[in-house]
Amino acid sequence: MFLELDLKSSIPVYIQLRNEIVRGIGSGELAFGEQLPTVRSLAADLSVNSMTVSKAYQLLDSQGYIHTDRRRGTVVCARGEMPDFLENPDSKRELVLLAREAALGGYTREEFLKLCSDAYIELV
Amino acid sequence: MFLELDLKSSIPVYIQLRNEIVRGIGSGELAFGEQLPTVRSLAADLSVNSMTVSKAYQLLDSQGYIHTDRRRGTVVCARGEMPDFLENPDSKRELVLLAREAALGGYTREEFLKLCSDAYIELV
Amino acid sequence: MFLELDLKSSIPVYIQLRNEIVRGIGSGELAFGEQLPTVRSLAADLSVNSMTVSKAYQLLDSQGYIHTDRRRGTVVCARGEMPDFLENPDSKRELVLLAREAALGGYTREEFLKLCSDAYIELV
Amino acid sequence: MFLELDLKSSIPVYIQLRNEIVRGIGSGELAFGEQLPTVRSLAADLSVNSMTVSKAYQLLDSQGYIHTDRRRGTVVCARGEMPDFLENPDSKRELVLLAREAALGGYTREEFLKLCSDAYIELV
DNA sequence: GTGGTCTAGACCACC
DNA sequence: GTGGTCTAGACCACG
């Protein structure tokens, strides 16, 4: 299982799980249309409460990354159905904040864009 | 006052305030070395409890953005004293996550880097 | 409960509590990995406000002595995860100050080192 | 002037000043019986409020490091009059705390005693 | 049930 | 007058 959680982190587990799954889709570890484990089995695998997994799935569903298929359970959405998360104003604010922290930290624009590019290039 | 808070957000107010102040320093609305409002006056302006403001100030202090000089109150640190927040692994993970959300949302690398550049270019 | 607080001291209660817990870990009264009392129960035991306990726990967390596992509550970190607090320059200055006070007080180096050794030997 | 204050520190200025003067006596920069600057002149030199200097002098006086001579103003006590500060239970507790932080930080007794010895050896 | 957050208001140490 | 500390009590997010 490629999903890594840090139970000591201040970030809620269900958010970490949501993020890990988005990363997994982005990196190809989870294919478009692929079936996800059931809530119970994933909860058992990760040793977390099944409500936590359920909340992560609900969040991903509401954001449009996954959906529930009556016959096949929970599946990753198709490539073309992926949401445009950066249209979310909160994401924009987050990006601006990171950029300003970078600038204050002494990064030139080129250095910052290099970091951004590296972050992107890790995707398939 | 340029500081905008959303009291209904799930993000704690003191974190929002910390972020707003970092943005303010990055955009030049708060100058390096400038004196910040007192805890009480800012609390009154924002209609929040003074302990909430105090918590934000203490967080910013621990991160190296501001410091409290016993004679002059709370002031923004000098340009050269600003912390490198992107050395924080969580910030890197956040950037990678944003990049993957962008990629899944259909942005090409060039488009994503344009967004990053725009976020940076707003700085002084 | 082995934790002793002096509510009349000028040292803030949450700092005293932090120090007592570090002493407790060092002396074995608190085992590595052991679960600490909940914020509320400890506050009730010590007859202090729960926010005071919470502040002490957060300080210990930030220093790496304990951490809060969302499932198991607050626990002492493992032996190998303990922080090197003497790398803190303030600790070094404190030690130098104690040494000078000792010298001025008439202690020879041997006598002073005996005191230091005794202080250390109380540890497990 | 060898007295160094950090106005950004969380340690009160008058305590820092007291500590610096004790260090100065211990290291020989201030001789036994030497006359100290007046409150006003020292306050001006250090750019601090004269009440701060006054408080430091009062504290040092109450601890027996300095005393006020009607004719010569404030002077450092004689060698033989220096107080035994380590008989103070708070100092003992402080030393125990440092020793435990050292032990938890991975220092062996020998390593810790080396630090203590180095701290002492800097004295005249 | 846990810790985290927030409020309103008080007191104190410091400068 | 400043920030720091503490209280009593409330609400909420998390698991």
Side-chain angles (χ1 to χ4, degrees):
Chain A
M1 182 59 63
F2 62 91
L3 301 167
E4 288 182 12
L5 302 179
D6 177 7
L7 295 169
K8 293 187 275 183
S9 165
S10 64
I11 302 172
V13 178
Y14 80 94
I15 300 283
Q16 290 184 55
L17 189 48
R18 176 266 178 206
N19 290 345
E20 285 294 303
I21 290 174
V22 171
R23 276 196 202 93
I25 300 172
S27 66
E29 286 158 311
L30 285 168
F32 299 109
E34 178 176 343
Q35 187 170 347
L36 290 170
T38 65
V39 167
R40 291 202 172 188
S41 70
L42 184 52
D45 278 4
L46 298 173
S47 306
V48 297
N49 194 305
S50 56
M51 254 190 59
T52 304
V53 176
S54 177
K55 271 179 98 163
Y57 277 12
Q58 280 181 265
L59 183 58
L60 286 159
D61 193 335
S62 75
Q63 293 177 341
Y65 285 108
I66 67 176
H67 67 90
T68 304
D69 183 296
R70 293 225 185 267
R71 291 169 299 181
R72 298 172 53 224
T74 306
V75 296
V76 177
C77 287
R79 163 117 222 160
E81 295 170 350
M82 286 289 145
D84 177 4
F85 209 71
L86 260 66
E87 77 176 5
N88 181 336
D90 285 348
S91 293
K92 280 243 176 70
R93 288 171 72 85
E94 179 63 31
L95 189 56
V96 170
L97 183 59
L98 281 170
R100 300 207 170 171
E101 288 172 345
L104 290 173
Y107 291 85
T108 64
R109 178 150 71 204
E110 284 66 36
E111 289 166 346
F112 176 61
L113 290 179
K114 178 68 167 52
L115 285 176
C116 296
S117 181
D118 288 351
Y120 190 96
I121 215 164
E122 295 179 26
L123 294 166
V124 173
Chain B
M1 181 61 61
F2 61 92
L3 302 166
E4 289 180 13
L5 301 180
D6 176 7
L7 297 176
K8 293 174 298 188
S9 164
S10 66
I11 302 173
V13 176
Y14 78 94
I15 300 283
Q16 291 182 53
L17 189 49
R18 175 264 178 208
N19 290 345
E20 287 292 305
I21 289 174
V22 171
R23 277 195 201 94
I25 299 172
S27 66
E29 286 159 309
L30 287 168
F32 300 107
E34 177 177 345
Q35 189 166 347
L36 291 169
T38 68
V39 168
R40 285 168 172 73
S41 70
L42 184 53
D45 279 2
L46 298 173
S47 303
V48 297
N49 189 281
S50 57
M51 270 195 61
T52 304
V53 176
S54 178
K55 237 176 144 172
Y57 277 13
Q58 284 181 42
L59 181 58
L60 286 159
D61 193 338
S62 75
Q63 294 178 340
Y65 285 107
I66 68 176
H67 65 88
T68 57
D69 181 316
R70 288 195 130 89
R71 293 171 302 180
R72 294 165 52 215
T74 307
V75 297
V76 178
C77 284
R79 162 117 222 159
E81 295 172 348
M82 287 289 146
D84 177 4
F85 210 70
L86 258 66
E87 76 177 8
N88 182 338
D90 285 348
S91 293
K92 281 241 175 73
R93 290 170 66 89
E94 178 64 31
L95 189 56
V96 170
L97 183 60
L98 280 170
R100 298 207 170 174
E101 288 171 345
L104 290 173
Y107 292 83
T108 64
R109 178 151 75 202
E110 285 66 35
E111 288 166 347
F112 176 62
L113 290 180
K114 178 67 166 53
L115 284 175
C116 295
S117 182
D118 288 351
Y120 190 97
I121 215 166
E122 296 180 26
L123 295 166
V124 173
Chain C
M1 182 60 62
F2 62 92
L3 302 167
E4 290 180 13
L5 301 180
D6 176 7
L7 298 176
K8 293 173 299 186
S9 165
S10 66
I11 302 172
V13 177
Y14 78 94
I15 300 283
Q16 290 183 54
L17 189 47
R18 175 264 179 207
N19 289 344
E20 286 294 304
I21 290 174
V22 170
R23 276 196 202 93
I25 300 172
S27 67
E29 286 159 309
L30 287 168
F32 299 108
E34 178 177 344
Q35 189 166 348
L36 291 169
T38 68
V39 168
R40 285 168 171 73
S41 70
L42 184 53
D45 279 2
L46 298 173
S47 303
V48 297
N49 189 280
S50 56
M51 270 194 62
T52 304
V53 176
S54 178
K55 235 174 145 174
Y57 277 13
Q58 284 180 42
L59 181 58
L60 286 160
D61 193 337
S62 75
Q63 294 179 340
Y65 285 107
I66 68 176
H67 65 88
T68 58
D69 182 316
R70 290 195 128 88
R71 292 172 303 180
R72 295 164 52 215
T74 306
V75 297
V76 178
C77 284
R79 164 117 222 158
E81 296 171 346
M82 287 290 146
D84 177 5
F85 210 70
L86 258 66
E87 77 176 8
N88 182 338
D90 285 348
S91 293
K92 281 239 175 74
R93 288 170 68 90
E94 178 64 32
L95 189 56
V96 169
L97 183 60
L98 280 170
R100 298 205 171 174
E101 288 172 344
L104 289 173
Y107 292 83
T108 64
R109 178 150 76 202
E110 285 66 35
E111 289 165 347
F112 175 62
L113 291 180
K114 179 67 166 53
L115 284 176
C116 296
S117 182
D118 289 351
Y120 190 98
I121 215 166
E122 296 179 27
L123 295 166
V124 173
Chain D
M1 181 60 63
F2 62 91
L3 301 166
E4 289 182 12
L5 302 179
D6 177 8
L7 295 170
K8 294 189 273 184
S9 165
S10 65
I11 301 172
V13 177
Y14 80 94
I15 299 284
Q16 290 184 54
L17 188 49
R18 175 266 178 205
N19 291 345
E20 286 293 304
I21 290 174
V22 171
R23 276 196 202 93
I25 300 172
S27 66
E29 286 158 310
L30 286 168
F32 300 108
E34 179 176 343
Q35 187 170 347
L36 290 170
T38 66
V39 167
R40 292 201 171 189
S41 70
L42 184 52
D45 278 2
L46 299 173
S47 305
V48 298
N49 193 305
S50 57
M51 255 190 59
T52 304
V53 177
S54 176
K55 268 179 101 164
Y57 277 13
Q58 279 182 268
L59 183 57
L60 286 159
D61 192 336
S62 75
Q63 293 177 342
Y65 284 108
I66 67 177
H67 67 91
T68 304
D69 183 296
R70 294 227 184 264
R71 291 168 301 180
R72 297 173 53 225
T74 307
V75 297
V76 178
C77 287
R79 163 117 222 160
E81 296 170 349
M82 286 288 145
D84 177 4
F85 209 71
L86 260 65
E87 77 177 5
N88 181 335
D90 285 347
S91 292
K92 280 244 176 68
R93 289 171 70 85
E94 178 64 32
L95 188 56
V96 169
L97 183 59
L98 281 170
R100 300 207 169 170
E101 287 173 344
L104 290 173
Y107 292 83
T108 64
R109 177 149 71 204
E110 285 67 36
E111 289 166 346
F112 175 62
L113 290 179
K114 178 69 165 53
L115 285 175
C116 296
S117 181
D118 288 351
Y120 190 98
I121 215 166
E122 295 179 26
L123 294 165
V124 173

